[in-house]
Amino acid sequence: MPSDAAVAIIGAGQAGLAVAYYLRRFQLDADVDFVVLDRSPSTGGAWQFRWDGLRMGSAHKVNDLPGMAELGISFETADRSLPAKDIVAGYYRRYEDHFGLAVHRPVAVTSVVNRGADLVLRHSEGETAVRVLVNATGTWGSPFVPYYPGAGTFRGRHVHTNGYVSSEEFRGQNVVVVGGGTSAVGFLLELEGVAATVSWASRRPIDYSTDHVRTIEGGVAAVRDADAAARAGQSLPSIVSSTGVPLTRKVAAGISRGLLKERPMFVRVEPNGVRWADGSFTSADAIIWATGFRPELRHLAPLKLREREGGVTVESGQVWTDPRVFLAGYGPYASTIGANRSGRIIARQIMAQL
């Protein structure tokens, strides 16, 4: 582990690897000019932690990394019968090896502090001083669970998306799924016929959309809204609020047979279930919170980057209040709407600083 480098990239998911790739294209060498740190045990970014039943094409599109064609692989032609997490992990492993990115893992960065003109990363292997930092930690490590009265009294299990492994762990149980995105829909489809009962709660009516709307019109809207929030230093909007849930054949069939029928959010959680606004009660052994994530930026707290509006002011990946810091995969460059587009932009700005 280098004790100093010109650039550090925290996170080896889609956004981090894209930046590293372009730095290599600019003739920078891994572990000499830049260092990549990743806290995960293996390759694949957050995808390595996804649930067993998730397949390619059943969630938001996974974009190919820049230069991936050189390896003769693409997520467009990946085997959709295999778990998505295995495919992504395998492709990323080949990618890292091919381009010599020398990712250090597992290395957990606990904080980033100022030391003169340098930024010092304090991590599980010691310290590394750098001139420029690219934070590409994504959101998987920062799950969001909204507060509802009585949640602490629930005798069953609270499970967030990032803790869901397989429908089998809920066999024969009464389950309430909360959320209005693709993860919630995926859980409901998997739990059918496995759980004893499945109920669905969502804050807003579900917006189903065709693939065309989701990837083109919806994608443009998501980028626009996220970019506006990032430039204003505001909390980032939900991606699903702009893209909707893809209306695949499997989803359409679930709607037809009455499985995918959401109810407005319950008003409180009770020890043995949830109470709805109309006074009715649903027993539950588990509540699955498919309620999304927030950017994972806690380790950057000593740099005081967060604005009063709740977010970080970012334009073209660069933090306005500290130009040494770049946020890759943040706002309009989030992985679900194409983190790769920020790789080249950020790499060029870094080269201008070095």
Side-chain angles (χ1 to χ4, degrees):
M1 175 68 66
S3 60
D4 61 84
V7 183
I9 300 173
I10 306 176
Q14 184 182 32
L17 292 181
V19 175
Y21 167 83
Y22 283 111
L23 291 181
R24 292 285 290 120
R25 289 285 299 272
F26 284 122
Q27 306 302 311
L28 269 61
D29 293 323
D31 272 359
V32 177
D33 303 304
F34 71 91
V35 59
V36 185
L37 313 179
D38 187 60
R39 73 176 183 184
S40 301
S42 186
T43 56
W47 282 92
Q48 66 191 279
F49 305 111
R50 302 278 180 152
W51 55 99
D52 297 340
L54 185 63
R55 298 294 187 265
M56 301 299 297
S58 62
H60 290 281
K61 179 180 178 182
V62 182
N63 293 288
D64 286 350
L65 291 167
M68 187 178 281
E70 188 175 318
L71 284 74
I73 54 178
S74 171
F75 290 118
E76 294 289 341
T77 56
D79 188 344
R80 299 199 174 195
S81 68
L82 299 175
K85 65 179 185 179
D86 294 342
I87 293 174
V88 177
Y91 281 12
Y92 279 17
R93 183 177 299 109
R94 293 171 62 181
Y95 188 87
E96 291 180 15
D97 292 343
H98 181 81
F99 291 109
L101 303 183
V103 179
H104 294 270
R105 60 167 59 89
V107 178
V109 177
T110 55
S111 64
V112 180
V113 299
N114 284 302
R115 183 179 294 168
D118 289 337
L119 294 166
V120 177
L121 282 64
R122 293 172 176 167
H123 48 72
S124 54
E125 298 296 316
E127 293 186 350
T128 301
V130 299
R131 292 162 56 189
V132 177
L133 170 65
V134 179
N135 188 80
T137 48
T139 62
W140 189 258
S142 186
F144 172 69
V145 177
Y147 168 77
Y148 275 90
T153 70
F154 185 54
R155 293 173 184 158
R157 295 176 59 202
H158 288 289
V159 181
H160 189 269
T161 299
N162 71 348
Y164 182 97
V165 177
S166 168
S167 60
E168 280 299 317
E169 60 184 316
F170 303 98
R171 180 169 289 281
Q173 298 183 12
N174 299 311
V175 182
V176 175
V177 177
V178 181
T182 54
S183 294
V185 171
F187 296 153
L188 290 159
L189 291 171
E190 285 190 22
L191 290 165
E192 184 182 23
V194 178
T197 63
V198 183
S199 302
W200 187 13
S202 175
R203 285 193 304 112
R204 61 173 68 91
I206 307 305
D207 175 24
Y208 293 105
S209 60
T210 66
D211 283 343
H212 175 269
V213 173
R214 177 171 64 101
T215 58
I216 300 178
E217 297 170 7
V220 170
V223 171
R224 181 196 62 222
D225 294 346
D227 187 43
R231 288 171 181 266
Q234 299 171 349
S235 297
L236 300 179
S238 165
I239 295 300
V240 74
S241 65
S242 296
T243 62
V245 174
L247 187 59
T248 63
R249 290 183 182 179
K250 195 172 182 180
V251 170
I255 295 172
S256 296
R257 61 179 180 269
L259 170 68
L260 300 181
K261 186 176 182 180
E262 79 278 10
R263 298 181 65 172
M265 278 301 301
F266 44 78
V267 293
R268 67 179 178 274
V269 181
E270 298 183 5
N272 298 311
V274 298
R275 185 72 61 180
W276 306 91
D278 61 5
S280 62
F281 178 79
T282 296
S283 296
D285 300 298
I287 302 175
I288 299 177
W289 298 89
T291 46
F293 300 81
R294 296 292 183 265
E296 188 174 7
L297 303 175
R298 288 167 292 187
H299 53 290
L300 302 182
L303 301 181
K304 302 184 186 314
L305 305 178
R306 195 175 294 275
E307 306 284 359
R308 291 183 178 179
E309 291 80 3
V312 178
T313 304
V314 178
E315 183 172 3
S316 298
Q318 190 172 35
V319 177
W320 277 19
T321 55
D322 193 333
R324 300 170 299 173
V325 181
F326 294 85
L327 301 186
Y330 180 88
Y333 302 127
S335 60
T336 50
I337 49 177
N340 291 346
R341 70 186 71 192
S342 68
R344 180 180 296 177
I345 294 172
I346 289 176
R348 284 178 173 173
Q349 293 179 88
I350 289 172
M351 295 306 297
Q353 289 193 31
L354 300 181

